[in-house]
Amino acid sequence: MADHKHPRPPWGSLQLRAGDILAWGELTPEDFRPAGSPEATAPLRPGPEGSYRRDAWRRFRGNRAALGALAVLLLLVLFALAGPLVVPYGYAQFHAGAENLPPYHYALADQERLEAELSRRAQAAPDPEEAVERALAEAQARGETLTAVDLARIRAEARAAQSQGAVSEAQVRRELGIRPRLGGYSREDLERKAAGEAVFPHLFGTDRYGRDILVRVMVGTRVSMLVGLSAAALVLVIGALYGAVSGYCGGRVDAVMQRIVEVIYSIPEVLVILLLSTVLGDALLAYANTHTGLLARAVPLLGKNLISMFLSFGLLYWVTMSRIIRGQVLQLKGQEYVTAARALGASGARIIRRHLLPNCIGQIVVTTCLQIPSAIFLESFLSFLGVGVTTPLTSLGSLASEALEGLWSYPYRLIFPAVILSAMILSFNLVGDGLRDALDPRLKR
Amino acid sequence: MAREILKRIGTAALTVFAVATLTFFLTRAVPGNPFLSEKNPPQAVLDALNEKYGLDQPLYVQYVKYLGNLLRGDLGVSVKLQKDYPVARIIGEMFPVSAAIGFFALLWAVLLGVPLGCLAAYRRGRGTDSALQVVCTLGVSLPSFVVASLLLFAFCGGIAGWKLFPTLFQAGDWRSYVLPCFSLGFYPMCYIARQSRASMLDALGQDYIKTARAKGLRTGRILFKHALRNALLPVLTYLGPQVAFTLCGGFVVETVFTIPGLGRYFVQSISSRDYPVILGTTLFLASFLVGMNLLVDLLYQAVDPRIRLGREAA
Amino acid sequence: MRLQQTPAPPPEGRPLLEVRDLRVSFFTPAGEVRAVRGITYQVDYGEVVGIVGESGSGKSVEAYAIMGLLQPPGRVVGGAVTFEGEDVLAFSPRALTTFRGGRAAMIFQNPMTSLNPVYSVGEQLMEALRAHQKAASRREAAQRAAGMLERVGIHNPERRMRQYPHELSGGMRQRVMIAMGLICHPKLLIADEPTTALDVTIQAQILELMKDLQRQTGMGILFITHNLGVVAELCHKVCVMYAGKLVEQGAVDDIFYRPGHPYTEGLLRSMPRLDDQERRRLIPIQGTPVDLLDPPAGCPFAPRCPHAMEVCLGRMPPYVELGPGHRSACWLRVREGLSTSPAGGEEASHG
């Protein structure tokens, strides 16, 4: 009918003689029997049970950075929990005579040679006051008088010579050919060790009170981790509940709740947390002194700053979580099974618990996991500024803050907690990113 | 649209009001009289102060008076660090120092972060991308005090022969600004790079990029004209919160490098419990940040033709 | 119903576009997904060819391959694409940019997302023109763009050009997309489901517009759709695609009145028709498409085919010519050839 409109295609005829086909394909008439039921041969391969979780795990396993970070985290947990059991020092234990030990030591004989050499050089460069006295005596002997300017010059020269002598400890060591050995020992320790006793070294050195830095870093890691985990848990509970209720109720309730969220969201959190930690801390202390009860008893146990930090977290940090959960709930709310559940007379709480929350679990896990490093971040920030974890307890942030005072002479006091802290935050971040990619590939960023 | 702008301004005002209320009640929660330096002042002094701050009046009267004082810019006087010196003047003198450092830090963070993020997105999955990813993930995992202290140690004399910058801050000497600005900008730079990589990847996957390719545009034109503009818009929204982060990093960086800025002063006022300074500074910085966020919001609206503010910012 | 215009005779005796044994694969972590598995057809000058198939049959991928728009992990792994005698697959990136948008244009399924939201309509139209005609001044380009908008049925083009995509309706945006495609007078327009995302009434308008424009310009159109009704409206020739293969091709009437493949029959049965005398039920095709990660050795449709035979499961059927330009890959046709004596055999020597 419409053939004339279409020029004959140039691909030519592909029609074959039936006999040709049979000969070419060695087909028999049997091949043209109807095949069994199409369903039986349908290439429908239903996925294995729970394939979502399995898929997520496969994706996570494929992420080498996340796996490595997980291993680092496990090591850190071991370090923080089991470490203090191995090291025979307490984190608040003072060791007289072991103050300011570096994380290395010299053999006893070397140590004596070094000290002798150093004191010899120190005598060559006398104490400023001694130098002034000597100069005064000399001047008197000559019958001259020295002006204040002269005295200041002599003092400054002596001081310069002295500080040169101090800086050259490494130089002296090198000249004498003394090699430092791993682990810090006090002199007493070295003598006991020479007597055949087994003495545990201060692997990271000691601080100016003679406290073992290794143990302090371990305990600090423990505190930082605990703060991170419990802050994340707090945020999770408050945020998920708030978001789920807001999203599920909708309407005017939602509008009011979201307005509150908006205001909290635009409050600069860190500032307010700083403020709360400061002011609440003092208020809590006063409260603990005048009241009894659970809260009052918790104050001396955890320290006022830690409690006010948690309060601040609970007050401010859940908004992101609640926004995410609300979005998910709104999206899921429209789906049939929720309507079905409601038609069957399930209560609102039951619907949230049984149907809505399990469906946004992926998002919840990821957000919670990424909340941990930011809580640790904040805790170390507050501790560094002196409103976080306080003595006798310690955290990585406070250790770094303490180390700042002696930065020029004892840089390792900063480096050890800083490295551990950074490794911990990095690992949590990597694991969180990995989880996000694994649980929800759509979110991949 | 005008309604949306008004709504945004309203929320911002509400936020500042909420912070002001919070500071008021926190002041009252502090045991004793927060406006006094000594623990047990003479009764006459106490009475005078009570009258000055209206502490003898009912709480709501005090609250209204407090708000009235705020509106007049009266933030009280310092009681510890610089006794009887008005807080507003302290802020006026110290904020410019912090603002200068913060500005330069954010400037380099944006100028380097955005191109690096786009480069990583363009070279997705290759060596450049992986290397940048490593650096940036590390960057957002290093607390600013770690970066600042290590830099201070490394480049101010801790390592022999590397003393490139002065240990003590001197206003006006450019070498004093290098390390603080670097350590302050490092976190935002990495954060911005990560975000621009993500939004660039998102933009590159859009249909209009396909259209642009089908139109026969060159790769450069597709990247810089079509993808970049769309990718930059979300980055703008991160800038508001980044200002806040930079500021908080400022507390640490100014403390480490002993810079006489508002951040360090704030930290000092916290450790010496100089309440009027703490509260006044908090209120000032909070208003500043809320204002910056508002500005970024409005800017975003001006730049993106399709934006409907409030239509889900997430 | 169909276009009454006879296609212009091919200059220099060659087709506008020739696709021969084209194969495209996606190299995913799970393995090689063979999206297009050797397809052959051609589009003559001024001819409208429809490619019909369900989602995932590889029809869009094949179009992207022709335009050189495939992105990793997708790659052409075999075959040839010849446009006016030139090998498109061998084009340098630079040659590709002059080819795309200049000699062949493409419009996409979703007009809502295919326009850049941050540039005005006029800007994007003029950009398409100036990418290929560098000499055109801004003023000239603006005039041409406005003229093009008028031609695609947009009134008040000067005002529209200043507007942003989100200020236009879906149908309007697809008109803009068409104008953008045609602004450089391409010889071939590839339309990838241009009406799928639109309302039914708007669909009809857009189809009418494309029909008019085709008649006026005499360009060839490769029309990709899953909607047989649209094909009847617009096309001269139809290729039916299933699981990366062409299972049947022929003139529109052949496909509609003398379908030679059970899949085509299934498509026709699942489509409502107004001209039917008897009241028929719409019959859906049972089952789901095959897994292209591991395509079966036999006819890909066999598992869903009501007439499947043993041979269908094990061997890919050869093409059988059912009439001039009408051929189908189905063992049923081979069996018919067997039982009704090789009558067409004489003709076979012709090729």
Side-chain angles (χ1 to χ4, degrees), chain C residues 186-200:
Chain C
K187 299 213 171 85
L188 175 71
L189 177 71
I190 299 182
D192 184 6
E193 309 224 19
T195 58
T196 307
L198 303 175
D199 289 347
V200 181

PDB file of all heavy atoms in Angstrom, chain C residues 186-200:
ATOM      1  N   PRO C 186      20.731  21.591  10.687  1.00  0.00           N
ATOM      2  CA  PRO C 186      21.393  20.287  10.584  1.00  0.00           C
ATOM      3  C   PRO C 186      20.693  19.417   9.541  1.00  0.00           C
ATOM      4  O   PRO C 186      19.527  19.642   9.225  1.00  0.00           O
ATOM      5  CB  PRO C 186      21.217  19.710  11.986  1.00  0.00           C
ATOM      6  CG  PRO C 186      19.958  20.330  12.481  1.00  0.00           C
ATOM      7  CD  PRO C 186      19.911  21.708  11.901  1.00  0.00           C
ATOM      8  N   LYS C 187      21.421  18.442   9.003  1.00  0.00           N
ATOM      9  CA  LYS C 187      20.800  17.533   8.032  1.00  0.00           C
ATOM     10  C   LYS C 187      20.111  16.392   8.749  1.00  0.00           C
ATOM     11  O   LYS C 187      19.249  15.711   8.180  1.00  0.00           O
ATOM     12  CB  LYS C 187      21.887  16.980   7.110  1.00  0.00           C
ATOM     13  CG  LYS C 187      22.587  18.074   6.318  1.00  0.00           C
ATOM     14  CD  LYS C 187      23.005  17.553   4.957  1.00  0.00           C
ATOM     15  CE  LYS C 187      23.511  18.661   4.052  1.00  0.00           C
ATOM     16  NZ  LYS C 187      24.940  18.945   4.260  1.00  0.00           N
ATOM     17  N   LEU C 188      20.537  16.166   9.985  1.00  0.00           N
ATOM     18  CA  LEU C 188      19.931  15.071  10.749  1.00  0.00           C
ATOM     19  C   LEU C 188      19.575  15.587  12.136  1.00  0.00           C
ATOM     20  O   LEU C 188      20.360  16.276  12.777  1.00  0.00           O
ATOM     21  CB  LEU C 188      20.929  13.904  10.887  1.00  0.00           C
ATOM     22  CG  LEU C 188      20.462  12.727  11.762  1.00  0.00           C
ATOM     23  CD1 LEU C 188      19.363  11.956  11.063  1.00  0.00           C
ATOM     24  CD2 LEU C 188      21.627  11.807  12.087  1.00  0.00           C
ATOM     25  N   LEU C 189      18.377  15.229  12.575  1.00  0.00           N
ATOM     26  CA  LEU C 189      17.982  15.567  13.940  1.00  0.00           C
ATOM     27  C   LEU C 189      17.686  14.259  14.664  1.00  0.00           C
ATOM     28  O   LEU C 189      16.881  13.454  14.196  1.00  0.00           O
ATOM     29  CB  LEU C 189      16.724  16.449  13.932  1.00  0.00           C
ATOM     30  CG  LEU C 189      16.193  16.809  15.318  1.00  0.00           C
ATOM     31  CD1 LEU C 189      17.117  17.785  16.015  1.00  0.00           C
ATOM     32  CD2 LEU C 189      14.793  17.397  15.229  1.00  0.00           C
ATOM     33  N   ILE C 190      18.384  14.063  15.771  1.00  0.00           N
ATOM     34  CA  ILE C 190      18.081  12.883  16.577  1.00  0.00           C
ATOM     35  C   ILE C 190      17.207  13.341  17.735  1.00  0.00           C
ATOM     36  O   ILE C 190      17.587  14.223  18.495  1.00  0.00           O
ATOM     37  CB  ILE C 190      19.374  12.229  17.105  1.00  0.00           C
ATOM     38  CG1 ILE C 190      20.240  11.791  15.932  1.00  0.00           C
ATOM     39  CG2 ILE C 190      19.040  11.036  17.985  1.00  0.00           C
ATOM     40  CD1 ILE C 190      21.505  11.088  16.335  1.00  0.00           C
ATOM     41  N   ALA C 191      16.021  12.779  17.820  1.00  0.00           N
ATOM     42  CA  ALA C 191      15.096  13.172  18.880  1.00  0.00           C
ATOM     43  C   ALA C 191      14.930  11.990  19.828  1.00  0.00           C
ATOM     44  O   ALA C 191      14.380  10.961  19.453  1.00  0.00           O
ATOM     45  CB  ALA C 191      13.758  13.574  18.288  1.00  0.00           C
ATOM     46  N   ASP C 192      15.474  12.146  21.049  1.00  0.00           N
ATOM     47  CA  ASP C 192      15.442  11.043  22.014  1.00  0.00           C
ATOM     48  C   ASP C 192      14.220  11.210  22.912  1.00  0.00           C
ATOM     49  O   ASP C 192      14.255  11.971  23.866  1.00  0.00           O
ATOM     50  CB  ASP C 192      16.740  11.066  22.826  1.00  0.00           C
ATOM     51  CG  ASP C 192      16.827   9.886  23.779  1.00  0.00           C
ATOM     52  OD1 ASP C 192      15.943   9.012  23.718  1.00  0.00           O
ATOM     53  OD2 ASP C 192      17.767   9.850  24.579  1.00  0.00           O
ATOM     54  N   GLU C 193      13.151  10.519  22.574  1.00  0.00           N
ATOM     55  CA  GLU C 193      11.899  10.590  23.332  1.00  0.00           C
ATOM     56  C   GLU C 193      11.504  12.039  23.641  1.00  0.00           C
ATOM     57  O   GLU C 193      11.309  12.389  24.802  1.00  0.00           O
ATOM     58  CB  GLU C 193      12.026   9.810  24.648  1.00  0.00           C
ATOM     59  CG  GLU C 193      12.555   8.409  24.437  1.00  0.00           C
ATOM     60  CD  GLU C 193      11.788   7.375  25.231  1.00  0.00           C
ATOM     61  OE1 GLU C 193      10.650   7.675  25.656  1.00  0.00           O
ATOM     62  OE2 GLU C 193      12.304   6.267  25.398  1.00  0.00           O
ATOM     63  N   PRO C 194      11.373  12.871  22.626  1.00  0.00           N
ATOM     64  CA  PRO C 194      11.166  14.302  22.907  1.00  0.00           C
ATOM     65  C   PRO C 194       9.810  14.612  23.530  1.00  0.00           C
ATOM     66  O   PRO C 194       9.623  15.704  24.056  1.00  0.00           O
ATOM     67  CB  PRO C 194      11.279  14.953  21.530  1.00  0.00           C
ATOM     68  CG  PRO C 194      10.903  13.879  20.583  1.00  0.00           C
ATOM     69  CD  PRO C 194      11.358  12.598  21.190  1.00  0.00           C
ATOM     70  N   THR C 195       8.874  13.678  23.459  1.00  0.00           N
ATOM     71  CA  THR C 195       7.539  14.007  23.957  1.00  0.00           C
ATOM     72  C   THR C 195       7.168  13.245  25.212  1.00  0.00           C
ATOM     73  O   THR C 195       6.105  13.464  25.785  1.00  0.00           O
ATOM     74  CB  THR C 195       6.481  13.696  22.880  1.00  0.00           C
ATOM     75  OG1 THR C 195       6.572  12.316  22.539  1.00  0.00           O
ATOM     76  CG2 THR C 195       6.687  14.529  21.647  1.00  0.00           C
ATOM     77  N   THR C 196       8.065  12.338  25.654  1.00  0.00           N
ATOM     78  CA  THR C 196       7.701  11.445  26.751  1.00  0.00           C
ATOM     79  C   THR C 196       7.356  12.193  28.035  1.00  0.00           C
ATOM     80  O   THR C 196       6.456  11.808  28.771  1.00  0.00           O
ATOM     81  CB  THR C 196       8.865  10.478  27.030  1.00  0.00           C
ATOM     82  OG1 THR C 196       9.204   9.864  25.799  1.00  0.00           O
ATOM     83  CG2 THR C 196       8.475   9.419  28.019  1.00  0.00           C
ATOM     84  N   ALA C 197       8.089  13.292  28.298  1.00  0.00           N
ATOM     85  CA  ALA C 197       7.904  13.959  29.580  1.00  0.00           C
ATOM     86  C   ALA C 197       6.773  14.987  29.538  1.00  0.00           C
ATOM     87  O   ALA C 197       6.562  15.704  30.494  1.00  0.00           O
ATOM     88  CB  ALA C 197       9.210  14.645  29.989  1.00  0.00           C
ATOM     89  N   LEU C 198       6.063  15.049  28.406  1.00  0.00           N
ATOM     90  CA  LEU C 198       5.066  16.107  28.255  1.00  0.00           C
ATOM     91  C   LEU C 198       3.635  15.577  28.398  1.00  0.00           C
ATOM     92  O   LEU C 198       3.379  14.389  28.251  1.00  0.00           O
ATOM     93  CB  LEU C 198       5.217  16.765  26.884  1.00  0.00           C
ATOM     94  CG  LEU C 198       6.609  17.338  26.592  1.00  0.00           C
ATOM     95  CD1 LEU C 198       6.677  17.841  25.171  1.00  0.00           C
ATOM     96  CD2 LEU C 198       6.945  18.440  27.570  1.00  0.00           C
ATOM     97  N   ASP C 199       2.713  16.500  28.647  1.00  0.00           N
ATOM     98  CA  ASP C 199       1.295  16.141  28.677  1.00  0.00           C
ATOM     99  C   ASP C 199       0.851  15.682  27.290  1.00  0.00           C
ATOM    100  O   ASP C 199       1.421  16.076  26.282  1.00  0.00           O
ATOM    101  CB  ASP C 199       0.461  17.381  29.026  1.00  0.00           C
ATOM    102  CG  ASP C 199       0.647  17.776  30.465  1.00  0.00           C
ATOM    103  OD1 ASP C 199       1.216  16.952  31.206  1.00  0.00           O
ATOM    104  OD2 ASP C 199       0.257  18.881  30.829  1.00  0.00           O
ATOM    105  N   VAL C 200      -0.227  14.905  27.262  1.00  0.00           N
ATOM    106  CA  VAL C 200      -0.668  14.323  26.000  1.00  0.00           C
ATOM    107  C   VAL C 200      -1.003  15.393  24.968  1.00  0.00           C
ATOM    108  O   VAL C 200      -0.593  15.299  23.805  1.00  0.00           O
ATOM    109  CB  VAL C 200      -1.887  13.408  26.244  1.00  0.00           C
ATOM    110  CG1 VAL C 200      -2.325  12.799  24.929  1.00  0.00           C
ATOM    111  CG2 VAL C 200      -1.538  12.322  27.228  1.00  0.00           C
TER     112      VAL C 200
END
